Amino acid sequence: MEGLVSPKVSLRTTFYHGPNFSIRRPMNLSKLNRFSVASIRAQQPETKDGAAMVSAVREEANALQMKEWEVDMLQNEVASSQGIRIRRRPPTGPPLHYVGPFEFRIQNEGNTPRNILEKIIWHKDMEVSQLKERRPLHALKKSLENAPPSRDFTGALKEANLRTGLPGLIAEVKKASPSRGILREDFDPVEIAQSYERGGAACLSVLTDEKYFKGSFENLEAIRQAGVKCPLLCKEFVIDAWQIYYARIKGADAILLIAAVLPDLDIRYMVKICKMLGLAALVEVHDEREMDRVLGIEGIELIGINNRNLETFEVDISNTRKLLEGERGQLIRQKDIIVVGESGLFTPDDIAYVQEAGVKAVLVGESIVKQSDPGKGITGLFGKEISLS
Ligand SMILES: O=P(O)(O)OC[C@@H](O)[C@@H](O)c1c[nH]c2ccccc12
């Protein structure tokens, strides 16, 4: 089977690192199983030979399915050896069990997501496979020529920081989240983006996940087409390089890569793709282990420290401080990396606290998107006017 490769390399990576980066997924064996059984039944009525063939096909498909299951387990093992707790979706689920004519899968630890981030990632896996079928990478690559030019996301943050003496603001266009529900009913993404820009945001973050955050790529595209000058971060759950190309085509200037989800090899590879496409990569970490992994990767310019634990949703802004203390902070300064403080920032005191800890930028959603005038919300957040005019 093609997907079976040496365990020396990241198995997860090999699935989409083929020529053209297309996923070399093993075929959907449960479908094959059902299809073959049905087609044999159609040709051979309920004869003895027919029954034997049905059972042979079933056995073979089950054996392959078991193999596929094992490969997937190995893939998750590689990730977990790097401290990654978020597992990838098993491609076909555990082997089918038969009782008489019925087939069913037993729900167990292996085929049920353990937390919300895992749930989001498993859903994203299916979503991306479907999108890729409709628009394969070679087609996407052709559309790159027509994409709006990319703008300097990191530069805009640095400039704002120098100009105001405060962390550069990435203001988030966010309608809802799994932890907070709907944040704003009358949600006009373009109006909110323009208001943020007037209020002095350096950059914007646009959520594109539909199912859990009620965002969309249409929102990203509309904001870009409306002439908003702030560089745009595509806030997605990236698991496949295809999504990076897609974001660029829709007008993104930067993209989020979550270290809790991606093994080192994937981050390295995706950061290179971002550079090639002129996108900034904001690599998000939650804890010391993720920070150390990311600091070991060459070419990283932007690190986000998320104060929200994506597994439990708890927010604690002292996380930013904890991860920037001592040698880590020194290394970050040496490497000239810009750190972004993310989530749970509501007041000028919160901003001062994370700035003191060493961040040069902040990513804020809830506290400003909820205000009737989101741009004025920015003035409230910083305790002073930060717009140019
Ligand atoms: O609304 P808040 O608490 O200000 O948080 C914004 C942003 O940090 C948060 O939306 C976020 C940070 N990392 C993410 C990853 C996926 C989805 C969302 C996020």
Side-chain angles (χ1 to χ4, degrees):
M1 201 164 48
E2 253 204 290
L4 282 171
V5 289
S6 151
K8 271 177 281 173
V9 288
S10 156
L11 283 167
R12 183 177 306 169
T13 308
T14 58
F15 280 119
Y16 51 70
H17 283 204
N20 277 343
F21 317 121
S22 59
I23 277 196
R24 281 190 275 132
R25 247 185 202 303
M27 62 186 139
N28 186 333
L29 292 169
S30 59
K31 253 190 224 150
L32 166 84
N33 194 0
R34 251 174 266 133
F35 172 75
S36 315
V37 171
S39 61
I40 293 165
R41 281 229 170 97
Q43 289 157 27
Q44 316 241 349
E46 298 294 327
T47 61
K48 226 173 163 189
D49 282 358
M53 276 179 78
V54 166
S55 112
V57 167
R58 229 176 226 173
E59 250 169 52
E60 196 178 314
N62 272 352
L64 278 172
Q65 211 171 29
M66 275 301 284
K67 231 8 257 142
E68 200 180 59
W69 182 241
E70 279 168 16
V71 170
D72 189 60
M73 297 304 279
L74 206 53
Q75 188 181 322
N76 281 325
E77 254 170 52
V78 172
S80 106
S81 73
Q82 293 175 7
I84 296 174
R85 293 181 302 271
I86 304 305
R87 303 163 306 168
R88 292 292 289 276
R89 188 178 69 91
T92 57
L96 288 167
H97 295 258
Y98 295 98
V99 175
F102 303 107
E103 52 182 42
F104 63 94
R105 293 184 202 285
I106 295 172
Q107 275 228 330
N108 60 22
E109 230 257 322
N111 68 352
T112 317
R114 286 181 299 204
N115 55 54
I116 181 69
L117 181 56
E118 210 162 80
K119 201 166 166 188
I120 295 172
I121 294 300
W122 289 18
H123 184 265
K124 192 58 70 185
D125 219 318
M126 294 191 298
E127 199 182 286
V128 173
S129 318
Q130 281 163 13
L131 285 171
K132 280 175 72 167
E133 260 171 44
R134 259 183 273 148
R135 270 182 100 168
L137 191 64
H138 63 83
L140 272 195
K141 282 183 176 170
K142 283 203 191 106
S143 315
L144 275 176
E145 294 162 19
N146 307 321
S150 65
R151 301 159 305 178
D152 185 1
F153 190 87
T154 313
L157 291 177
K158 284 186 187 166
E159 210 178 284
N161 178 233
L162 286 175
R163 179 176 65 80
T164 62
L166 289 162
L169 173 66
I170 309 171
E172 188 153 277
V173 180
K174 180 182 195 181
K175 176 165 182 171
S177 74
S179 58
R180 301 290 195 186
I182 301 277
L183 295 170
R184 191 185 177 101
E185 285 292 351
D186 64 327
F187 187 82
D188 181 329
V190 173
E191 250 175 41
I192 294 169
Q194 287 167 336
S195 176
Y196 281 157
E197 183 159 62
R198 282 195 300 273
C203 297
L204 305 184
S205 159
V206 184
L207 274 150
T208 48
D209 177 77
E210 291 188 16
K211 187 170 165 71
Y212 297 94
F213 290 85
K214 305 217 177 300
S216 71
F217 277 96
E218 285 76 55
N219 290 355
L220 180 72
E221 207 167 23
I223 292 169
R224 180 77 208 235
Q225 281 172 4
V228 172
K229 299 215 173 49
C230 294
L232 305 178
L233 169 74
C234 171
K235 198 68 164 319
E236 242 313 326
F237 295 88
V238 173
I239 47 168
D240 189 314
W242 182 93
Q243 294 165 280
I244 304 179
Y245 284 85
Y246 193 64
R248 181 73 275 280
I249 284 161
K250 296 290 180 182
D253 305 292
I255 193 144
L256 184 76
L257 301 175
I258 304 177
V261 172
L262 300 167
D264 298 4
L265 206 55
D266 290 23
I267 298 179
R268 265 177 231 278
Y269 165 71
M270 288 178 178
V271 163
K272 282 196 186 131
I273 291 182
C274 287
K275 290 228 160 94
M276 199 173 84
L277 297 179
L279 284 171
L282 173 61
V283 186
E284 177 176 297
V285 302
H286 297 84
D287 57 26
E288 287 96 335
R289 185 148 187 204
E290 288 173 12
M291 178 63 102
D292 292 342
R293 280 177 50 212
V294 169
L295 287 176
I297 297 175
E298 274 306 305
I300 293 203
E301 290 165 8
L302 270 179
I303 297 182
I305 299 180
N306 199 347
N307 298 312
R308 180 174 290 113
N309 179 320
L310 289 182
E311 291 166 51
T312 63
F313 286 151
E314 272 163 36
V315 177
D316 177 3
I317 66 169
S318 72
N319 199 37
T320 297
R321 188 182 198 153
K322 199 169 74 186
L323 299 197
L324 291 177
E325 265 165 8
E327 279 177 26
R328 291 191 183 94
Q330 269 174 16
L331 192 57
I332 284 165
R333 283 189 294 277
Q334 253 171 37
K335 291 185 164 217
D336 207 17
I337 292 171
I338 300 277
V339 176
V340 184
E342 301 181 358
S343 307
L345 302 170
F346 287 85
T347 65
D349 281 353
D350 294 343
I351 300 291
Y353 178 86
V354 290
Q355 181 169 25
E356 180 76 6
V359 311
K360 297 270 192 297
V362 287
L363 172 52
V364 184
E366 179 175 347
S367 67
I368 45 178
V369 84
K370 273 183 158 176
Q371 309 301 320
S372 55
D373 181 336
K376 288 222 177 81
I378 294 174
T379 311
L381 173 71
F382 284 94
K384 67 182 222 192
E385 183 83 43
I386 59 155
S387 64
L388 266 173
S389 48

